[in-house]
Amino acid sequence: MSESRKRKSLTFWQYLCLGIATFGMIALSYSFGGSFGRLPLGSLLRFVPKMAENAFMIFVPMVFGAVYSKKKVHPTEAFRFWLIAVVTLVLFYLAYFFKLPDRFNMWRLWGVFFPVLTSTSVLLAGLIFSILVQPYLYDLQRKLTVKQNLLVLCMLTVVGFATCAGAMGFRYSIFGVYLILYFAWGMFLANWKITKTQFKWSIFSGIVSFFIVFIGVPGFNGVFWYQVLSARNGGGWNRQFLNNPTSPFMVLMVIAIFLIFRKTIMSYSAREMRYFIPVIIFMQAPISTSFMNAFRFTNSAGVNKLIMIIIMMIVSVLLTKIYEKYLFRIKPFRRAMLYLSKDDNLVDILVRCWKNFVAWCVEHRVMLLTWIWFYILSFASFLIESDNLRIQISTASDINAVVFLLGTRFFAIILTTIFLDAMFSIFYFVTTRYWTSTVLVSVITIGWAIANKVKLNLRGEPIYPSELSEAANFKTLIPMIGSTLLIVVGIALVIIIALDVFLEVKFPIKKKGSWKRRGIWALLSLLLFLTPLRFNHDGGFIYHINRGFDNKQSFRNPERDIQINGPILNFLNYLDLQVMDQPANYSQSTINHLNSKYQKIADEINKTRKNNLKNQTIVFNLSESFVDPYTFPTIKIDKSAPNPVKFIQSMKDKSTYGNMLSAGYGGGTANMEWETLTGLNMGMFRSTLTPYVQVVPRYKFYPTIGMNFDYKSAVHPFIGTYYSRVEDYKRFKFNKFEYLGSKYKIIDQKKLGKSSYNSDYTAYANGLKQINSQSGGQFINLISIQNHMPYNNWYPKNEYMGKISGELFNSGAVREQMATYIKGVQYTDKAVKKFIGQIDKINKPITVVFYGDHYPSILSQSYTAKYPVQMHSTRYFIYSNKYARAHGAKEKLVKNTNFVNTSDFIAMMLEQTNSKVTPYQALLTEVHEKLPAITINFDGDKGFELINQKGERVNPKTLTSEQRALLNDYEAVQYDMTAGKAYGLTAKGFYR
């Protein structure tokens, strides 16, 4: 008969004790320290939850030790614990990922199947270790007398505490070895024939120990902080040494509790102990707190916690019933138990398992070696994309590629390996040749990696799916890659083919499995290659699985993306980009209708405009991270420090001036640049993306404001390959792009202080050179870099150091960074003043659109929730020089200028320069004049939001029917040039 049928059912008292223990253990997954601290005597009570947690870390192993002290335990019981834990973790994590799918991560899944190796639960690890050594403890304790047992246990307890001074963290499984001590205490106490006097003294010691810990912990905590605050070098000792599982006082307290309940504890069997394994998982699993906090039943956090604890208690009971009835009847588990039970000695079991494991590896060596080879192949493809085995992790630093990839991109490499194996399965089904299939996969992988590296070196970007059609155009590809490389590739292919033939003849590997089995694998592999079509579908099952493998494309830096994701995943990530939802009735006829509609509006506008845009000199000047420092939330700059932006603030009186709404915080430069050049808006997109990387490459030509000029150029005194600028500017039909490393020399390179970036003086010197290089009109996209992060105290004699204060500037590091930033802004102000003075002396119409692209990443982005509009608002001005104003340009615009979006600059510049408009520019003019400013949703949700001239949010539902129609027109045009078929390019006169 089974153990469950032999024993009698538990009494009400036994069930009650189990229930109380379960409640207490699951409750420990929450942090109640803050709640207890708000109660009367909170300074004492706030340490109670931690005391309870540490007490359970001692008490639970003692209880297990007592119950398992009756006879020697077979090592298979440890396997039972492990199996119950793993099955519980599988179910727990499935529920967790179902509730919070965005939290899926392969590292977490690793912890499910290897709970001991990954420190899922120290308590579980300690119990498994204890069960494995129980036979040895059993024999040892019976060899020693009661006094000898007591002496050894007491000495180990004191020595353990003395060794760590109560600082042992119990965060990792290795600390579970220490819990064997308390398991041994439980075995000893279970069989100790204690006298009444000894019992009374034990209880008394426990009570005294409780008060020592209860009063001593907050007391020593107060002493610690007094020393710290009074600058007496406090902090060099552990202030909570009494409140630790190694503390002898905690041990005495728990022993007293154990002795009180010893009779009840001894009435339990292994069956009840196995029940506690799921409870321990719910108590200590890394996901427990976030999972339980994810449920909201009422508005009361306390009631929610109580309900969840009860639910988890019920789940624990149900799981135990299911495990008892079904778990060990499952054939693989039953066979594993029988296999392990053949030997009584743990060492014999380990030896036999190792021999069988080696035999299995030998039998399946082809499969294992194939997988190992594909992993090496995958890893090699990542390394090929690196820069001399270095990967740039930010604009300021790089890291060893091998260390970085193995340490942080392990599962991205695994995912690539899975796709390589799927490719192999397809080839193997078709060719039925192992070596041919393996060689094909190898050649494709390495060849693809090299091809991407070649394009990275040539253009600073990887190969996009939209470019595969170019492979047929050998006449243009051969000059780009060079004939020498083609010869090398040809020779390599000949060698590879010869190697394949040699391997197939000399070392043939027989086909594995029937053709049906191989066909099923090939079909599943084909289905796997369809999954990238859902990689970018936010919220979908495949989306979360893909991101769980660390395949997270940023789309902002193509070179870095391919280095950290590898050439295979990088390509797959671009297969199906989710840009915009298709508007209703989108078609070529719709775009043609809009062309006609806004041609009429353009005709009306042009009646009052006298200038031709192509005759103007227009400079769109993106000033990196420029924000008026006085607009930072809560900031206070000491009055003794000079105004760092005195000149730019003065532009309020002599130019169009106001706040620009940025679609980024601390980054997103290329997105702001794209908005200014195209007049399109980031808020219209379905999800976060970088148009320069994800949208523009889809089109051979892309319309910008530059197309209205005979000559257009870009100047950027920094690396030019970020965001695919080199290639995208070609799609914009720019005549020239000056950057560091280009064939056009950057003149007057000047760095300020210790900064590694070229200054704004350099940017404007090169901008002025370009202005003077053309006699007629032209367009210049001028991008600075001086104020880019980081802000590491670059500048000597910084008068802003120690002069910054404010609620959000309470950290010394933040104040130092801010002082560095403000000094840089002051240099910008002086450079702008000089530049404006220079263009005022030039006798041709010049208009400068100056704008900061985003806030610097100094303040935590978490503050944007409190100051959403403010922390996405930068300064801008539009200035027309004296000559331009003398020839029809306005000095300043006065309507709808306080809050604008970057996409409004084209319409505003056209109005200020008094220039005629195209139908598309008429649409932009209507959007600027009749709609609130359009920007991204600052709450992080999908879609756009509207901001009025007071900087307040506007509910889209309050728009008039005319405004909604205008918004729909704008959305249709943007869809056409971002996700659609670019009908507007063939609509006569729409863009120019």
Side-chain angles (χ1 to χ4, degrees):
M1 293 179 69
S2 67
E3 180 187 345
S4 59
R5 291 179 181 176
K6 285 180 181 178
R7 60 176 280 109
K8 297 179 181 178
S9 60
L10 300 180
T11 64
F12 173 78
W13 170 249
Q14 290 171 318
Y15 277 123
L16 180 62
C17 290
L18 284 176
I20 293 172
T22 304
F23 183 91
M25 292 173 68
I26 294 177
L28 290 175
S29 61
Y30 287 111
S31 176
F32 287 102
S35 302
F36 275 61
R38 290 189 290 270
L39 297 173
L41 300 176
S43 60
L44 294 173
L45 294 176
R46 65 193 179 97
F47 297 100
V48 169
K50 189 63 178 177
M51 286 175 58
E53 181 181 347
N54 291 328
F56 269 107
M57 290 292 288
I58 301 170
F59 186 69
V60 172
M62 277 190 186
V63 172
F64 272 74
V67 172
Y68 283 97
S69 68
K70 300 165 187 176
K71 62 178 181 179
K72 285 187 179 181
V73 179
H74 195 275
T76 53
E77 186 69 4
F79 175 74
R80 283 180 186 271
F81 284 8
W82 178 85
L83 185 59
I84 292 172
V86 168
V87 174
T88 303
L89 283 166
V90 168
L91 297 174
F92 195 19
Y93 273 74
L94 283 174
Y96 177 74
F97 295 141
F98 181 79
K99 179 66 177 178
L100 302 168
D102 57 311
R103 307 287 179 87
F104 175 75
N105 187 284
M106 282 302 295
W107 288 110
R108 285 197 171 104
L109 204 61
W110 187 260
V112 169
F113 296 103
F114 301 96
V116 177
L117 289 177
T118 57
S119 300
T120 297
S121 167
V122 178
L123 192 51
L124 171 70
L127 294 176
I128 291 175
F129 297 153
S130 297
I131 291 296
L132 291 175
V133 300
Q134 190 271 351
Y136 306 100
L137 292 175
Y138 184 88
D139 289 338
L140 178 63
Q141 288 192 350
R142 273 155 182 74
K143 288 180 181 179
L144 302 177
T145 65
V146 172
K147 289 184 179 180
Q148 288 173 333
N149 270 301
L150 189 59
L151 180 62
V152 170
L153 291 171
C154 288
M155 284 181 61
L156 289 174
T157 303
V158 173
V159 169
F161 174 71
T163 303
C164 70
M168 197 174 288
F170 288 89
R171 293 185 300 274
Y172 306 107
S173 289
I174 189 63
F175 292 108
V177 174
Y178 193 87
L179 299 182
I180 297 174
L181 172 62
Y182 302 126
F183 185 88
W185 265 111
M187 291 180 67
F188 168 73
L189 293 173
N191 297 290
W192 183 22
K193 296 178 181 179
I194 188 170
T195 65
K196 289 184 179 180
T197 302
Q198 290 171 331
F199 179 80
K200 289 177 181 179
W201 276 108
S202 297
I203 301 303
F204 176 76
S205 299
I207 294 171
V208 171
S209 297
F210 169 77
F211 282 105
I212 289 174
V213 176
F214 182 70
I215 298 172
V217 171
F220 283 118
N221 186 67
V223 172
F224 173 88
W225 284 111
Y226 172 76
Q227 291 178 340
V228 171
L229 296 175
S230 59
R232 297 185 181 180
N233 297 321
W237 55 283
N238 175 26
R239 64 188 184 276
Q240 293 195 43
F241 64 95
L242 294 175
N243 191 5
N244 188 275
T246 63
S247 168
F249 295 101
M250 291 290 296
V251 175
L252 286 172
M253 184 176 69
V254 173
I255 286 175
I257 297 171
F258 179 91
L259 291 174
I260 292 172
F261 292 95
R262 183 168 71 160
K263 185 176 179 181
T264 303
I265 291 170
M266 295 306 298
S267 66
Y268 294 125
S269 68
R271 175 190 179 193
E272 285 75 46
M273 294 304 98
R274 293 172 198 146
Y275 156 77
F276 277 108
I277 300 302
V279 176
I280 290 170
I281 295 299
F282 297 148
M283 170 188 170
Q284 288 195 327
I287 64 170
S288 293
T289 303
S290 58
F291 175 76
M292 293 170 70
N293 282 330
F295 292 88
R296 297 286 185 272
F297 303 104
T298 69
N299 293 326
S300 170
V303 174
N304 287 331
K305 290 178 180 179
L306 179 61
I307 294 173
M308 276 308 300
I309 292 170
I310 294 171
I311 290 174
M312 298 308 287
M313 290 175 67
I314 296 170
V315 170
S316 301
V317 173
L318 292 176
L319 287 178
T320 302
K321 294 292 185 184
I322 294 171
Y323 294 161
E324 283 184 357
K325 191 169 184 179
Y326 300 108
L327 183 59
F328 292 97
R329 293 182 181 178
I330 298 173
K331 193 172 182 178
F333 300 155
R334 189 173 73 250
R335 289 175 62 185
M337 291 292 291
L338 292 172
Y339 174 81
L340 294 173
S341 62
K342 289 179 180 179
D343 294 301
D344 293 329
N345 188 283
L346 176 61
V347 175
D348 292 338
I349 292 174
L350 292 175
V351 169
R352 190 156 53 86
C353 287
W354 175 253
K355 287 181 178 178
N356 284 319
F357 174 73
V358 171
W360 183 88
C361 289
V362 171
E363 182 183 353
H364 298 87
R365 60 187 180 279
V366 173
M367 178 187 70
L368 292 173
L369 290 172
T370 303
W371 254 91
I372 292 171
W373 170 245
F374 286 158
Y375 184 85
I376 294 171
L377 201 62
S378 173
F379 183 53
S381 71
F382 278 69
L383 290 179
I384 288 172
E385 309 307 332
S386 66
D387 294 323
N388 298 318
L389 296 183
R390 307 290 294 180
I391 289 179
Q392 190 174 56
I393 57 174
S394 72
T395 56
S397 61
D398 57 19
I399 193 170
N400 181 276
V402 175
V403 174
F404 178 80
L405 292 172
L406 292 178
T408 65
R409 309 300 300 162
F410 178 79
F411 283 109
I413 300 172
I414 287 289
L415 183 58
T416 301
T417 305
I418 292 172
F419 275 103
L420 296 186
D421 189 66
M423 193 188 306
F424 169 83
S425 296
I426 296 169
F427 289 148
Y428 192 44
F429 176 73
V430 174
T431 66
T432 70
R433 304 272 182 184
Y434 172 83
W435 289 114
T436 300
S437 303
T438 304
V439 168
L440 278 172
V441 172
S442 303
V443 169
I444 290 172
T445 304
I446 298 301
W448 182 251
I450 293 173
N452 274 273
K453 185 61 177 178
V454 170
K455 187 162 186 267
L456 276 176
N457 291 336
L458 290 172
R459 299 186 179 184
E461 62 180 8
I463 299 172
Y464 298 116
S466 57
E467 296 174 319
L468 289 183
S469 59
E470 297 297 322
N473 193 352
F474 287 102
K475 291 182 180 180
T476 57
L477 284 177
I478 291 174
M480 288 176 62
I481 63 177
S483 57
T484 302
L485 182 59
L486 281 178
I487 294 171
V488 172
V489 170
I491 294 172
L493 286 175
V494 171
I495 295 172
I496 289 167
I497 292 171
L499 177 64
D500 178 41
V501 173
F502 172 78
L503 291 172
E504 289 288 0
V505 173
K506 280 289 187 180
F507 304 98
I509 294 177
K510 295 180 180 180
K511 296 187 289 292
K512 296 289 183 180
S514 65
W515 70 269
K516 289 184 179 179
R517 183 179 178 184
R518 285 183 278 112
I520 291 172
W521 275 111
L523 179 61
L524 292 175
S525 298
L526 286 171
L527 293 175
L528 178 67
F529 276 101
L530 294 178
T531 59
L533 298 178
R534 308 294 298 180
F535 274 5
N536 298 310
H537 288 248
D538 191 2
F541 174 75
I542 292 174
Y543 170 85
H544 291 301
I545 295 293
N546 174 55
R547 293 181 73 83
F549 274 91
D550 287 332
N551 181 26
K552 299 174 183 178
Q553 194 90 350
S554 70
F555 299 108
R556 293 183 176 180
N557 188 336
E559 184 174 5
R560 182 177 180 273
D561 278 346
I562 195 172
Q563 286 180 344
I564 65 173
N565 293 323
I568 304 295
L569 296 182
N570 188 79
F571 180 81
L572 297 177
N573 287 334
Y574 281 91
L575 284 178
D576 182 48
L577 297 175
Q578 296 301 295
V579 180
M580 291 178 68
D581 291 324
Q582 181 172 316
N585 302 320
Y586 169 72
S587 64
Q588 187 168 7
S589 61
T590 299
I591 300 300
N592 288 336
H593 167 73
L594 293 177
N595 184 25
S596 301
K597 175 180 178 179
Y598 287 98
Q599 179 64 62
K600 296 176 183 177
I601 297 175
D603 292 341
E604 288 298 313
I605 293 172
N606 292 338
K607 287 178 181 179
T608 60
R609 306 266 179 101
K610 69 175 186 178
N611 286 333
N612 244 331
L613 183 60
K614 65 184 250 179
N615 299 324
Q616 305 285 317
T617 294
I618 305 298
V619 181
F620 274 16
N621 175 205
L622 184 156
S623 184
E624 174 62 44
S625 301
F626 180 87
V627 181
D628 184 335
Y630 291 100
T631 65
F632 275 72
T634 78
I635 195 170
K636 293 178 183 177
I637 303 175
D638 194 284
K639 292 182 180 179
S640 64
N643 183 347
V645 287
K646 184 176 180 180
F647 176 76
I648 290 176
Q649 287 181 350
S650 73
M651 296 299 287
K652 184 175 184 179
D653 300 322
K654 48 190 175 185
S655 69
T656 303
Y657 181 93
N659 302 288
M660 185 209 82
L661 297 169
S662 174
Y665 177 83
T669 297
N671 293 344
M672 305 303 98
E673 189 183 337
W674 177 80
E675 286 190 334
T676 62
L677 295 178
T678 64
L680 303 177
N681 196 289
M682 294 294 299
M684 292 292 178
F685 288 132
R686 179 177 174 182
S687 58
T688 301
L689 51 81
T690 301
Y692 267 15
V693 179
Q694 294 170 279
V695 174
V696 176
R698 297 178 65 242
Y699 304 90
K700 292 183 178 179
F701 169 70
Y702 209 84
T704 66
I705 186 63
M707 68 190 296
N708 294 274
F709 297 83
D710 293 333
Y711 194 91
K712 46 269 183 188
S713 63
V715 177
H716 184 35
F718 190 57
I719 302 167
T721 53
Y722 283 130
Y723 301 105
S724 300
R725 280 193 180 99
V726 173
E727 285 305 302
D728 284 352
Y729 286 167
K730 291 178 182 177
R731 294 180 178 96
F732 297 160
K733 303 301 181 185
F734 279 17
N735 299 84
K736 181 169 68 172
F737 178 25
E738 294 183 11
Y739 61 93
L740 293 180
S742 69
K743 63 181 179 180
Y744 308 102
K745 185 179 179 182
I746 297 292
I747 65 169
D748 292 350
Q749 293 190 38
K750 179 181 179 182
K751 297 176 174 64
L752 302 173
K754 300 176 184 177
S755 174
S756 61
Y757 299 122
N758 275 316
S759 68
D760 283 353
Y761 296 104
T762 300
Y764 291 122
N766 285 271
L768 189 67
K769 182 189 73 171
Q770 181 58 44
I771 289 173
N772 292 323
S773 68
Q774 298 290 317
S775 57
Q778 64 173 313
F779 174 78
I780 303 170
N781 190 41
L782 178 61
I783 312 162
S784 76
I785 191 64
Q786 174 190 291
N787 295 319
H788 196 284
M789 67 170 292
Y791 308 101
N792 293 340
N793 195 11
W794 302 130
Y795 311 115
K797 298 179 182 179
N798 186 345
E799 59 266 47
Y800 300 100
M801 282 293 175
K803 303 295 178 67
I804 312 298
S805 60
E807 182 185 340
L808 304 189
F809 301 87
N810 52 12
S811 159
V814 169
R815 288 194 296 269
E816 180 180 289
Q817 290 181 57
M818 194 64 193
T820 302
Y821 171 75
I822 294 177
K823 184 62 180 177
V825 165
Q826 184 190 51
Y827 283 124
T828 297
D829 189 71
K830 293 177 180 178
V832 170
K833 181 179 181 180
K834 180 181 178 182
F835 181 61
I836 294 298
Q838 289 170 324
I839 65 172
D840 262 338
K841 296 175 183 178
I842 299 175
N843 289 325
K844 60 180 178 180
I846 304 172
T847 294
V848 176
V849 179
F850 171 94
Y851 65 99
D853 57 339
H854 53 70
Y855 254 68
S857 55
I858 296 174
L859 297 178
S860 169
Q861 191 167 355
S862 61
Y863 292 126
T864 58
K866 187 175 182 180
Y867 306 98
V869 176
Q870 189 173 354
M871 291 182 70
H872 284 91
S873 299
T874 66
R875 187 67 72 212
Y876 85 93
F877 67 78
I878 304 176
Y879 178 78
S880 296
N881 71 344
K882 293 178 181 178
Y883 188 92
R885 296 198 302 273
H887 291 79
K890 298 179 181 180
E891 181 180 53
K892 61 188 297 185
L893 305 179
V894 295
K895 185 180 179 184
N896 295 340
T897 60
N898 194 27
F899 279 91
V900 303
N901 188 269
T902 331
S903 57
D904 290 316
F905 285 155
I906 291 177
M908 297 173 73
M909 176 273 295
L910 289 165
E911 183 179 358
Q912 179 152 325
T913 57
N914 201 15
S915 298
K916 298 181 183 299
V917 299
T918 66
Y920 174 63
Q921 292 163 353
L923 169 62
L924 297 182
T925 302
E926 290 282 284
V927 168
H928 169 63
E929 292 181 351
K930 296 182 179 179
L931 290 175
I934 308 170
T935 188
I936 62 167
N937 191 309
F938 292 141
D939 292 332
D941 298 327
K942 298 177 183 178
F944 62 88
E945 64 179 316
L946 305 172
I947 307 296
N948 64 21
Q949 290 303 299
K950 295 180 180 179
E952 301 167 339
R953 293 178 172 182
V954 176
N955 189 334
K957 294 180 181 179
T958 62
L959 296 179
T960 65
S961 58
E962 180 187 3
Q963 288 176 314
R964 284 196 294 271
L966 175 59
L967 190 61
N968 290 337
D969 291 347
Y970 183 50
E971 185 178 11
V973 171
Q974 176 153 333
Y975 177 84
D976 184 52
M977 274 316 305
T978 56
K981 298 184 178 179
Y983 295 130
L985 293 178
T986 59
K988 187 176 180 181
F990 185 62
Y991 285 108
R992 62 174 165 184

